[in-house]
Amino acid sequence: MDKFQNRFTRFGFISICLGSIALVLLISRCSISFFDYTLEKFEFSFPESELRRNVYTSSGEENSVVVDSRHVSQQILTIRSTNSTLQSKPEKRNRRNLVEQGLAKARATILEASSNRNTTLFKSDLPNPEIYRNPSALYRSYLEMEKRFKVYVYEEGEPPLVHDGPCKSVYAVEGRFITEIEKRRTKFRTYDPNQAYVYFLPFSVTWLVRYLYEGNSDAKPLRTFVSDYIRLVSTNHPFWNRTNGADHFMLACHDWGPLTSQADKDLFNTSIRVMCNANSSEGFNPTKDVTLPEIKLYGGEVDPKLRLSKTLSASPRPYLGFFAGGVHGPVRPILLNHWKQRDPEMPVYEYLPKHLNYYDFMRSSKFCFCPSGYEVASPRVIEAIYSECIPVILSVNFVLPFTDVLRWETFSVLVDVSEIPRLKEILMSISDEKYEWLKRNLRYVRRHFELNDPPKRFDAFHLTLHSIWLRRLNLRLT
Protein backbone atom coordinates (compact mmCIF):
# COMPACT_ATOMS: atom_id res chain seq x y z
CA MET A 1 0.00 0.00 0.00
CA ASP A 2 2.85 2.37 0.82
CA LYS A 3 4.57 1.54 -2.47
CA PHE A 4 1.35 2.27 -4.37
CA GLN A 5 0.95 5.62 -2.63
CA ASN A 6 4.56 6.59 -3.40
CA ARG A 7 4.14 5.73 -7.07
CA PHE A 8 0.87 7.69 -7.22
CA THR A 9 2.50 10.68 -5.56
CA ARG A 10 5.46 10.66 -7.99
CA PHE A 11 3.09 10.31 -10.95
CA GLY A 12 0.97 13.21 -9.75
CA PHE A 13 4.02 15.39 -9.21
CA ILE A 14 5.35 14.66 -12.69
CA SER A 15 1.91 15.36 -14.22
CA ILE A 16 1.68 18.68 -12.42
CA CYS A 17 5.16 19.66 -13.65
CA LEU A 18 4.41 18.73 -17.24
CA GLY A 19 1.06 20.50 -17.10
CA SER A 20 2.67 23.63 -15.72
CA ILE A 21 5.29 23.65 -18.46
CA ALA A 22 2.61 23.21 -21.12
CA LEU A 23 0.52 25.98 -19.59
CA VAL A 24 3.51 28.35 -19.55
CA LEU A 25 4.26 27.59 -23.20
CA LEU A 26 0.62 28.14 -24.15
CA ILE A 27 0.43 31.48 -22.32
CA SER A 28 3.69 32.60 -23.92
CA ARG A 29 2.45 31.67 -27.36
CA CYS A 30 -0.82 33.53 -26.88
CA SER A 31 0.96 36.59 -25.49
CA ILE A 32 3.26 36.80 -28.52
CA SER A 33 0.32 36.48 -30.90
CA PHE A 34 -1.66 39.09 -29.02
CA PHE A 35 1.34 41.47 -28.97
CA ASP A 36 1.85 41.02 -32.71
CA TYR A 37 -1.82 41.67 -33.32
CA THR A 38 -1.97 44.82 -31.16
CA LEU A 39 1.25 46.13 -32.71
CA GLU A 40 -0.20 45.63 -36.16
CA LYS A 41 -3.47 47.32 -35.20
CA PHE A 42 -1.64 50.23 -33.56
CA GLU A 43 0.64 50.68 -36.53
CA PHE A 44 -2.14 50.96 -39.10
CA SER A 45 -4.60 52.94 -37.03
CA PHE A 46 -2.25 55.77 -36.17
CA PRO A 47 -4.32 59.01 -36.29
CA GLU A 48 -4.01 60.83 -39.60
CA SER A 49 -4.23 64.15 -37.77
CA GLU A 50 -0.83 63.43 -36.24
CA LEU A 51 0.68 62.96 -39.68
CA ARG A 52 -0.63 66.00 -41.50
CA ARG A 53 2.48 68.06 -41.03
CA ASN A 54 4.92 65.23 -41.70
CA VAL A 55 6.62 65.46 -45.09
CA TYR A 56 8.34 62.74 -47.08
CA THR A 57 10.99 62.85 -49.77
CA SER A 58 9.67 63.08 -53.30
CA SER A 59 10.94 59.62 -54.20
CA GLY A 60 8.30 57.89 -52.05
CA GLU A 61 10.50 54.77 -51.90
CA GLU A 62 10.99 52.34 -49.04
CA ASN A 63 13.93 54.25 -47.58
CA SER A 64 12.16 57.63 -47.66
CA VAL A 65 13.28 60.11 -45.03
CA VAL A 66 10.58 61.30 -42.66
CA VAL A 67 10.65 64.82 -41.25
CA ASP A 68 8.51 65.15 -38.13
CA SER A 69 7.49 68.79 -37.76
CA ARG A 70 5.24 68.16 -34.76
CA HIS A 71 7.83 66.30 -32.66
CA VAL A 72 5.76 63.12 -32.68
CA SER A 73 7.66 59.87 -31.99
CA GLN A 74 10.14 59.41 -34.85
CA GLN A 75 10.17 55.64 -34.31
CA ILE A 76 6.42 55.25 -34.74
CA LEU A 77 6.39 57.42 -37.85
CA THR A 78 9.28 55.52 -39.38
CA ILE A 79 7.51 52.20 -38.79
CA ARG A 80 4.34 53.55 -40.32
CA SER A 81 5.98 55.14 -43.33
CA THR A 82 8.01 52.01 -44.12
CA ASN A 83 5.04 49.66 -44.01
CA SER A 84 2.26 51.87 -45.34
CA THR A 85 4.36 53.22 -48.22
CA LEU A 86 5.05 49.70 -49.40
CA GLN A 87 1.43 48.67 -49.14
CA SER A 88 -0.30 51.85 -50.30
CA LYS A 89 1.44 52.70 -53.59
CA PRO A 90 -1.28 51.04 -55.68
CA GLU A 91 -3.90 52.71 -53.51
CA LYS A 92 -2.32 56.15 -54.07
CA ARG A 93 -2.17 55.54 -57.80
CA ASN A 94 -5.82 54.53 -57.73
CA ARG A 95 -6.73 57.75 -55.93
CA ARG A 96 -4.88 59.83 -58.51
CA ASN A 97 -6.61 57.88 -61.28
CA LEU A 98 -9.98 58.60 -59.65
CA VAL A 99 -9.19 62.32 -59.75
CA GLU A 100 -8.50 62.21 -63.50
CA GLN A 101 -11.54 60.00 -64.10
CA GLY A 102 -13.69 62.48 -62.17
CA LEU A 103 -12.39 65.34 -64.31
CA ALA A 104 -13.14 63.38 -67.49
CA LYS A 105 -16.71 62.75 -66.35
CA ALA A 106 -17.12 66.42 -65.41
CA ARG A 107 -15.88 67.56 -68.83
CA ALA A 108 -18.36 65.27 -70.56
CA THR A 109 -21.36 66.41 -68.51
CA ILE A 110 -20.45 70.10 -68.90
CA LEU A 111 -20.06 69.68 -72.66
CA GLU A 112 -23.46 68.00 -72.84
CA ALA A 113 -25.06 70.75 -70.75
CA SER A 114 -23.56 73.53 -72.87
CA SER A 115 -25.98 72.78 -75.69
CA ASN A 116 -29.02 72.58 -73.40
CA ARG A 117 -30.92 75.88 -73.30
CA ASN A 118 -33.66 74.72 -70.92
CA THR A 119 -33.73 77.53 -68.35
CA THR A 120 -35.88 75.55 -65.91
CA LEU A 121 -32.80 73.52 -64.98
CA PHE A 122 -31.00 76.50 -63.43
CA LYS A 123 -33.67 79.19 -63.04
CA SER A 124 -33.68 79.14 -59.23
CA ASP A 125 -29.89 79.51 -58.94
CA LEU A 126 -29.24 81.68 -62.00
CA PRO A 127 -32.46 83.70 -62.37
CA ASN A 128 -31.12 86.09 -65.02
CA PRO A 129 -29.43 84.05 -67.78
CA GLU A 130 -28.62 87.20 -69.79
CA ILE A 131 -25.54 88.01 -67.73
CA TYR A 132 -23.87 84.63 -68.36
CA ARG A 133 -22.01 83.36 -71.40
CA ASN A 134 -23.62 79.95 -71.13
CA PRO A 135 -25.80 79.56 -68.02
CA SER A 136 -26.44 75.85 -68.62
CA ALA A 137 -22.73 75.07 -68.81
CA LEU A 138 -21.98 77.28 -65.78
CA TYR A 139 -24.68 75.62 -63.70
CA ARG A 140 -23.50 72.09 -64.55
CA SER A 141 -19.86 73.05 -64.01
CA TYR A 142 -20.70 74.57 -60.62
CA LEU A 143 -22.54 71.41 -59.54
CA GLU A 144 -19.59 69.28 -60.64
CA MET A 145 -17.26 71.53 -58.65
CA GLU A 146 -19.39 71.14 -55.53
CA LYS A 147 -19.43 67.39 -56.04
CA ARG A 148 -15.76 66.74 -56.80
CA PHE A 149 -13.36 69.65 -56.27
CA LYS A 150 -10.79 69.22 -53.49
CA VAL A 151 -7.95 71.57 -52.55
CA TYR A 152 -4.85 70.48 -50.64
CA VAL A 153 -3.25 73.27 -48.60
CA TYR A 154 0.45 72.94 -47.83
CA GLU A 155 0.98 73.21 -44.08
CA GLU A 156 4.61 74.32 -44.14
CA GLY A 157 5.38 77.78 -42.81
CA GLU A 158 4.09 79.90 -39.96
CA PRO A 159 1.81 82.95 -39.74
CA PRO A 160 1.72 85.78 -40.58
CA LEU A 161 3.66 85.26 -43.83
CA VAL A 162 1.87 81.95 -44.45
CA HIS A 163 -1.62 80.77 -43.41
CA ASP A 164 -2.75 84.35 -42.79
CA GLY A 165 -3.65 87.50 -44.70
CA PRO A 166 -5.39 90.90 -44.48
CA CYS A 167 -9.15 90.87 -43.97
CA LYS A 168 -9.79 94.58 -43.31
CA SER A 169 -8.22 96.55 -46.15
CA VAL A 170 -8.25 97.16 -49.88
CA TYR A 171 -6.58 93.73 -50.17
CA ALA A 172 -9.14 92.01 -47.92
CA VAL A 173 -10.11 89.42 -50.51
CA GLU A 174 -6.63 87.88 -50.17
CA GLY A 175 -6.94 87.23 -46.45
CA ARG A 176 -10.58 86.21 -46.65
CA PHE A 177 -9.83 83.53 -49.23
CA ILE A 178 -6.97 82.09 -47.16
CA THR A 179 -9.23 82.11 -44.10
CA GLU A 180 -12.12 80.39 -45.85
CA ILE A 181 -10.11 77.69 -47.60
CA GLU A 182 -7.85 76.92 -44.68
CA LYS A 183 -9.17 77.82 -41.25
CA ARG A 184 -12.79 76.86 -41.68
CA ARG A 185 -14.02 73.35 -42.31
CA THR A 186 -14.90 73.95 -45.93
CA LYS A 187 -15.94 70.91 -47.91
CA PHE A 188 -13.45 71.86 -50.61
CA ARG A 189 -10.37 71.22 -48.47
CA THR A 190 -8.78 67.77 -48.26
CA TYR A 191 -5.98 66.58 -46.01
CA ASP A 192 -5.20 63.71 -48.38
CA PRO A 193 -2.95 65.12 -51.14
CA ASN A 194 -3.68 62.11 -53.34
CA GLN A 195 -7.35 63.10 -53.49
CA ALA A 196 -6.57 66.73 -54.37
CA TYR A 197 -7.40 68.33 -57.70
CA VAL A 198 -5.21 71.37 -56.98
CA TYR A 199 -2.58 72.37 -54.39
CA PHE A 200 -2.59 75.77 -52.68
CA LEU A 201 0.57 77.72 -51.77
CA PRO A 202 -0.89 79.70 -48.82
CA PHE A 203 1.53 82.63 -48.53
CA SER A 204 0.19 86.18 -48.39
CA VAL A 205 1.88 88.64 -50.75
CA THR A 206 0.37 91.55 -48.81
CA TRP A 207 1.94 90.36 -45.58
CA LEU A 208 5.22 89.62 -47.39
CA VAL A 209 5.27 93.28 -48.46
CA ARG A 210 4.39 94.42 -44.95
CA TYR A 211 7.02 92.37 -43.12
CA LEU A 212 9.80 91.87 -45.68
CA TYR A 213 9.72 94.99 -47.86
CA GLU A 214 12.66 97.27 -47.07
CA GLY A 215 11.29 100.46 -48.62
CA ASN A 216 13.59 100.61 -51.63
CA SER A 217 11.20 99.48 -54.39
CA ASP A 218 12.97 96.12 -54.45
CA ALA A 219 10.79 93.00 -54.40
CA LYS A 220 13.81 90.69 -54.07
CA PRO A 221 13.11 89.71 -50.41
CA LEU A 222 9.59 88.67 -51.41
CA ARG A 223 10.81 86.61 -54.34
CA THR A 224 13.47 85.00 -52.16
CA PHE A 225 10.84 83.92 -49.64
CA VAL A 226 8.55 82.47 -52.31
CA SER A 227 11.45 80.71 -54.04
CA ASP A 228 12.52 79.17 -50.74
CA TYR A 229 8.94 78.13 -49.97
CA ILE A 230 8.54 76.37 -53.31
CA ARG A 231 11.90 74.68 -52.81
CA LEU A 232 10.68 73.47 -49.41
CA VAL A 233 7.42 71.95 -50.63
CA SER A 234 8.96 70.53 -53.81
CA THR A 235 11.71 68.84 -51.79
CA ASN A 236 9.41 67.41 -49.15
CA HIS A 237 6.48 66.45 -51.38
CA PRO A 238 6.27 64.85 -54.84
CA PHE A 239 3.36 66.91 -56.16
CA TRP A 240 5.07 70.06 -57.47
CA ASN A 241 7.72 68.16 -59.41
CA ARG A 242 5.13 65.80 -60.87
CA THR A 243 3.53 68.61 -62.92
CA ASN A 244 6.08 71.46 -62.68
CA GLY A 245 3.46 73.21 -60.56
CA ALA A 246 0.72 73.11 -63.21
CA ASP A 247 -1.93 71.93 -60.72
CA HIS A 248 -0.78 74.39 -58.03
CA PHE A 249 -2.04 77.90 -57.41
CA MET A 250 -1.02 81.04 -55.56
CA LEU A 251 -3.32 83.92 -54.69
CA ALA A 252 -2.49 87.62 -54.30
CA CYS A 253 -4.42 90.89 -54.35
CA HIS A 254 -1.46 93.18 -53.74
CA ASP A 255 -0.07 95.05 -56.75
CA TRP A 256 3.18 93.14 -56.34
CA GLY A 257 1.55 89.77 -56.92
CA PRO A 258 2.96 89.45 -60.47
CA LEU A 259 6.44 90.55 -59.32
CA THR A 260 6.39 88.02 -56.51
CA SER A 261 5.33 85.22 -58.84
CA GLN A 262 8.54 85.76 -60.83
CA ALA A 263 10.39 84.04 -57.97
CA ASP A 264 10.08 80.74 -59.81
CA LYS A 265 9.80 80.26 -63.58
CA ASP A 266 7.30 77.41 -63.21
CA LEU A 267 5.19 79.45 -60.81
CA PHE A 268 5.09 82.30 -63.34
CA ASN A 269 4.73 80.27 -66.55
CA THR A 270 2.93 77.08 -65.50
CA SER A 271 1.05 77.44 -62.21
CA ILE A 272 -2.38 79.00 -61.76
CA ARG A 273 -1.87 82.56 -60.53
CA VAL A 274 -4.97 84.07 -58.92
CA MET A 275 -4.39 87.85 -58.86
CA CYS A 276 -6.22 91.14 -58.67
CA ASN A 277 -3.53 92.75 -60.83
CA ALA A 278 -4.45 90.85 -63.98
CA ASN A 279 -2.38 92.69 -66.60
CA SER A 280 -2.01 90.74 -69.83
CA SER A 281 0.95 92.92 -70.85
CA GLU A 282 2.84 91.73 -67.75
CA GLY A 283 2.46 88.02 -68.35
CA PHE A 284 -1.08 87.40 -67.10
CA ASN A 285 -2.39 84.47 -69.13
CA PRO A 286 -6.19 84.07 -68.88
CA THR A 287 -6.03 80.49 -70.17
CA LYS A 288 -4.28 79.44 -66.95
CA ASP A 289 -4.43 82.46 -64.60
CA VAL A 290 -7.46 83.79 -62.69
CA THR A 291 -8.52 87.39 -62.06
CA LEU A 292 -9.38 88.00 -58.41
CA PRO A 293 -11.95 90.78 -57.83
CA GLU A 294 -10.48 93.57 -55.67
CA ILE A 295 -12.97 94.10 -52.85
CA LYS A 296 -12.25 96.76 -50.24
CA LEU A 297 -13.42 95.92 -46.71
CA TYR A 298 -12.36 98.55 -44.21
CA GLY A 299 -13.30 97.24 -40.79
CA GLY A 300 -13.99 93.86 -42.36
CA GLU A 301 -17.29 94.86 -43.99
CA VAL A 302 -18.68 96.80 -46.94
CA ASP A 303 -19.44 100.45 -46.24
CA PRO A 304 -23.07 100.82 -45.03
CA LYS A 305 -23.82 103.18 -47.94
CA LEU A 306 -23.09 100.34 -50.38
CA ARG A 307 -25.16 97.64 -48.73
CA LEU A 308 -28.07 96.27 -50.70
CA SER A 309 -31.28 98.04 -49.72
CA LYS A 310 -34.45 99.57 -51.12
CA THR A 311 -32.96 102.99 -50.44
CA LEU A 312 -29.98 102.18 -52.63
CA SER A 313 -32.18 101.02 -55.50
CA ALA A 314 -34.36 104.11 -55.24
CA SER A 315 -31.48 106.60 -55.04
CA PRO A 316 -31.90 109.50 -57.51
CA ARG A 317 -29.18 109.72 -60.18
CA PRO A 318 -28.75 113.40 -61.11
CA TYR A 319 -25.19 112.97 -62.42
CA LEU A 320 -24.28 111.30 -65.70
CA GLY A 321 -20.84 110.15 -64.60
CA PHE A 322 -18.40 110.42 -61.67
CA PHE A 323 -14.74 109.91 -60.79
CA ALA A 324 -12.43 110.94 -57.97
CA GLY A 325 -8.89 109.60 -57.55
CA GLY A 326 -5.18 110.27 -57.66
CA VAL A 327 -3.28 110.99 -60.86
CA HIS A 328 -1.09 108.00 -61.53
CA GLY A 329 -0.66 105.48 -64.29
CA PRO A 330 -1.16 106.14 -68.03
CA VAL A 331 -4.99 106.39 -68.14
CA ARG A 332 -6.05 108.70 -65.33
CA PRO A 333 -4.06 111.74 -66.57
CA ILE A 334 -5.98 111.51 -69.87
CA LEU A 335 -9.33 111.37 -68.08
CA LEU A 336 -8.49 114.29 -65.79
CA ASN A 337 -6.98 116.34 -68.60
CA HIS A 338 -10.23 116.20 -70.58
CA TRP A 339 -12.88 116.14 -67.86
CA LYS A 340 -11.58 117.41 -64.53
CA GLN A 341 -14.25 119.84 -63.30
CA ARG A 342 -15.19 120.60 -66.90
CA ASP A 343 -18.84 119.53 -66.86
CA PRO A 344 -21.28 119.79 -63.91
CA GLU A 345 -23.16 116.74 -65.22
CA MET A 346 -19.97 114.70 -64.95
CA PRO A 347 -18.16 115.57 -61.68
CA VAL A 348 -14.54 114.47 -62.12
CA TYR A 349 -12.09 115.23 -59.32
CA GLU A 350 -8.45 114.51 -58.71
CA TYR A 351 -9.11 114.36 -54.99
CA LEU A 352 -12.59 114.80 -53.60
CA PRO A 353 -12.99 117.80 -51.23
CA LYS A 354 -13.27 116.69 -47.60
CA HIS A 355 -16.81 118.03 -47.18
CA LEU A 356 -18.07 115.72 -49.98
CA ASN A 357 -18.73 111.99 -49.64
CA TYR A 358 -17.31 109.61 -52.23
CA TYR A 359 -20.05 106.98 -51.93
CA ASP A 360 -22.81 109.59 -52.05
CA PHE A 361 -21.52 110.59 -55.48
CA MET A 362 -21.47 106.95 -56.62
CA ARG A 363 -25.06 106.48 -55.44
CA SER A 364 -26.07 109.68 -57.26
CA SER A 365 -24.45 108.87 -60.62
CA LYS A 366 -25.68 106.75 -63.50
CA PHE A 367 -22.15 105.79 -64.58
CA CYS A 368 -18.92 105.48 -62.59
CA PHE A 369 -15.58 105.87 -64.39
CA CYS A 370 -13.10 103.11 -63.54
CA PRO A 371 -9.70 104.05 -65.01
CA SER A 372 -6.56 102.05 -64.30
CA GLY A 373 -3.88 103.53 -62.08
CA TYR A 374 -0.33 102.30 -61.73
CA GLU A 375 -1.84 98.83 -61.94
CA VAL A 376 -4.84 97.69 -63.96
CA ALA A 377 -6.99 96.58 -61.02
CA SER A 378 -9.05 98.87 -58.79
CA PRO A 379 -11.66 98.31 -56.05
CA ARG A 380 -13.64 101.09 -57.78
CA VAL A 381 -15.10 98.52 -60.21
CA ILE A 382 -16.68 96.46 -57.41
CA GLU A 383 -17.76 99.60 -55.53
CA ALA A 384 -19.57 100.74 -58.67
CA ILE A 385 -21.38 97.40 -58.82
CA TYR A 386 -22.35 97.70 -55.14
CA SER A 387 -23.66 101.25 -55.62
CA GLU A 388 -25.62 100.25 -58.76
CA CYS A 389 -23.60 102.77 -60.75
CA ILE A 390 -22.81 101.28 -64.17
CA PRO A 391 -19.01 100.73 -64.32
CA VAL A 392 -17.31 102.41 -67.27
CA ILE A 393 -14.13 100.40 -67.79
CA LEU A 394 -11.24 102.63 -68.92
CA SER A 395 -8.30 100.30 -68.97
CA VAL A 396 -5.67 98.68 -71.15
CA ASN A 397 -4.76 95.00 -70.87
CA PHE A 398 -7.04 94.39 -67.86
CA VAL A 399 -8.61 90.92 -67.83
CA LEU A 400 -11.85 91.47 -65.91
CA PRO A 401 -12.92 89.07 -63.12
CA PHE A 402 -14.92 85.95 -64.03
CA THR A 403 -14.91 86.77 -67.77
CA ASP A 404 -15.00 83.04 -68.49
CA VAL A 405 -18.61 82.92 -67.27
CA LEU A 406 -19.90 86.54 -67.12
CA ARG A 407 -20.86 88.83 -70.01
CA TRP A 408 -19.50 92.13 -68.78
CA GLU A 409 -21.13 93.99 -71.66
CA THR A 410 -24.53 93.25 -70.06
CA PHE A 411 -23.81 95.23 -66.88
CA SER A 412 -20.94 97.62 -67.71
CA VAL A 413 -19.67 99.88 -70.48
CA LEU A 414 -16.25 99.24 -71.99
CA VAL A 415 -14.68 102.35 -73.52
CA ASP A 416 -11.35 102.40 -75.30
CA VAL A 417 -8.83 104.80 -73.78
CA SER A 418 -8.57 106.61 -77.11
CA GLU A 419 -12.30 107.43 -76.82
CA ILE A 420 -12.01 109.29 -73.48
CA PRO A 421 -12.44 112.71 -75.21
CA ARG A 422 -15.84 111.44 -76.46
CA LEU A 423 -16.88 110.02 -73.10
CA LYS A 424 -19.97 112.17 -72.59
CA GLU A 425 -21.12 111.64 -76.16
CA ILE A 426 -20.82 107.86 -75.74
CA LEU A 427 -22.78 107.84 -72.49
CA MET A 428 -25.47 110.17 -73.82
CA SER A 429 -26.01 107.81 -76.75
CA ILE A 430 -27.10 105.03 -74.37
CA SER A 431 -30.88 104.96 -74.37
CA ASP A 432 -32.96 104.97 -71.20
CA GLU A 433 -34.11 101.45 -72.00
CA LYS A 434 -30.56 100.17 -72.27
CA TYR A 435 -29.52 102.02 -69.14
CA GLU A 436 -32.34 100.37 -67.15
CA TRP A 437 -31.36 97.01 -68.64
CA LEU A 438 -27.73 97.50 -67.57
CA LYS A 439 -28.78 98.57 -64.08
CA ARG A 440 -31.16 95.62 -63.69
CA ASN A 441 -28.38 93.23 -64.69
CA LEU A 442 -26.06 94.96 -62.23
CA ARG A 443 -28.38 94.04 -59.37
CA TYR A 444 -28.33 90.39 -60.42
CA VAL A 445 -24.56 90.22 -60.79
CA ARG A 446 -23.81 91.86 -57.43
CA ARG A 447 -23.96 88.60 -55.47
CA HIS A 448 -21.07 87.18 -57.51
CA PHE A 449 -18.82 89.93 -56.13
CA GLU A 450 -19.82 89.75 -52.48
CA LEU A 451 -17.72 88.26 -49.68
CA ASN A 452 -20.08 86.57 -47.24
CA ASP A 453 -19.35 85.22 -43.79
CA PRO A 454 -19.89 82.33 -44.05
CA PRO A 455 -19.64 82.06 -47.85
CA LYS A 456 -22.80 81.56 -49.90
CA ARG A 457 -23.21 79.66 -53.14
CA PHE A 458 -22.17 81.59 -56.25
CA ASP A 459 -20.56 84.43 -54.24
CA ALA A 460 -17.04 85.83 -54.81
CA PHE A 461 -15.33 83.06 -52.83
CA HIS A 462 -17.10 80.31 -54.73
CA LEU A 463 -16.76 81.91 -58.17
CA THR A 464 -13.02 82.34 -57.53
CA LEU A 465 -12.85 78.64 -56.69
CA HIS A 466 -14.89 77.91 -59.80
CA SER A 467 -12.42 79.85 -61.96
CA ILE A 468 -9.60 77.71 -60.52
CA TRP A 469 -11.73 74.61 -61.14
CA LEU A 470 -12.15 75.61 -64.80
CA ARG A 471 -8.37 75.94 -65.23
CA ARG A 472 -7.92 72.49 -63.72
CA LEU A 473 -10.54 71.10 -66.10
CA ASN A 474 -8.41 72.37 -68.99
CA LEU A 475 -5.34 70.58 -67.61
CA ARG A 476 -4.93 66.91 -68.52
CA LEU A 477 -2.31 64.99 -66.55
CA THR A 478 -0.90 61.64 -67.62
Side-chain angles (χ1 to χ4, degrees), residues 164-169 171-173 175-176 179 207 297-301:
D164 195 10
C167 294
K168 299 180 179 181
S169 73
Y171 307 121
V173 66
R176 289 288 290 269
T179 297
W207 280 171
L297 296 178
Y298 283 118
E301 295 185 4

Side-chain angles (χ1 to χ4, degrees), residues 139-291:
Y139 183 65
R140 173 48 57 185
S141 177
Y142 193 90
L143 294 182
E144 290 292 331
M145 178 189 76
E146 289 184 317
K147 177 182 177 181
R148 305 178 188 277
F149 200 39
K150 297 296 179 183
V151 179
Y152 180 78
V153 183
Y154 285 111
E155 297 200 17
E156 282 78 3
E158 299 295 335
L161 302 182
V162 186
H163 312 297
D164 195 10
C167 294
K168 299 180 179 181
S169 73
V170 69
Y171 307 121
V173 66
E174 182 178 306
R176 289 288 290 269
F177 185 92
I178 294 173
T179 297
E180 300 300 344
I181 199 67
E182 181 170 0
K183 296 180 181 178
R184 298 176 186 244
R185 296 190 177 275
T186 174
K187 64 181 179 181
F188 295 104
R189 184 177 183 180
T190 179
Y191 289 96
D192 182 356
N194 292 294
Q195 292 183 341
Y197 285 67
V198 292
Y199 301 81
F200 180 37
L201 304 164
F203 53 80
S204 166
V205 173
T206 304
W207 280 171
L208 291 180
V209 173
R210 177 175 178 177
Y211 293 106
L212 299 182
Y213 176 53
E214 298 175 354
N216 55 1
S217 301
D218 183 9
K220 184 178 179 180
L222 284 66
R223 290 196 293 265
T224 299
F225 177 90
V226 171
S227 177
D228 289 344
Y229 190 81
I230 292 175
R231 187 180 303 112
L232 175 66
V233 299
S234 63
T235 300
N236 293 330
H237 301 275
F239 313 111
W240 177 276
N241 297 324
R242 186 176 59 200
T243 65
N244 291 329
D247 53 356
H248 288 58
F249 74 96
M250 63 164 283
L251 181 139
C253 195
H254 196 278
D255 294 346
W256 283 14
L259 281 175
T260 305
S261 70
Q262 294 174 6
D264 183 278
K265 64 179 180 62
D266 287 332
L267 179 64
F268 188 87
N269 296 317
T270 308
S271 298
I272 302 168
R273 299 180 304 152
V274 184
M275 298 184 296
C276 291
N277 188 15
N279 190 336
S280 60
S281 69
E282 296 179 356
F284 185 90
N285 180 0
T287 61
K288 74 171 188 68
D289 297 328
V290 172
T291 305

Side-chain angles (χ1 to χ4, degrees), residues 357-371:
N357 185 275
Y358 181 82
Y359 294 132
D360 282 343
F361 268 102
M362 296 192 92
R363 289 165 52 110
S364 302
S365 302
K366 292 182 178 180
F367 300 92
C368 285
F369 305 137
C370 302

Side-chain angles (χ1 to χ4, degrees), residues 4 17-18 82 126 133 246 258 280-281 297 308 311 349 387 425 442-443 448:
F4 176 79
C17 291
L18 292 174
T82 301
L126 307 177
R133 294 188 179 277
S280 60
S281 69
L297 296 178
L308 188 61
T311 303
Y349 295 90
S387 61
E425 178 186 345
L442 206 61
R443 293 172 191 156
H448 299 315

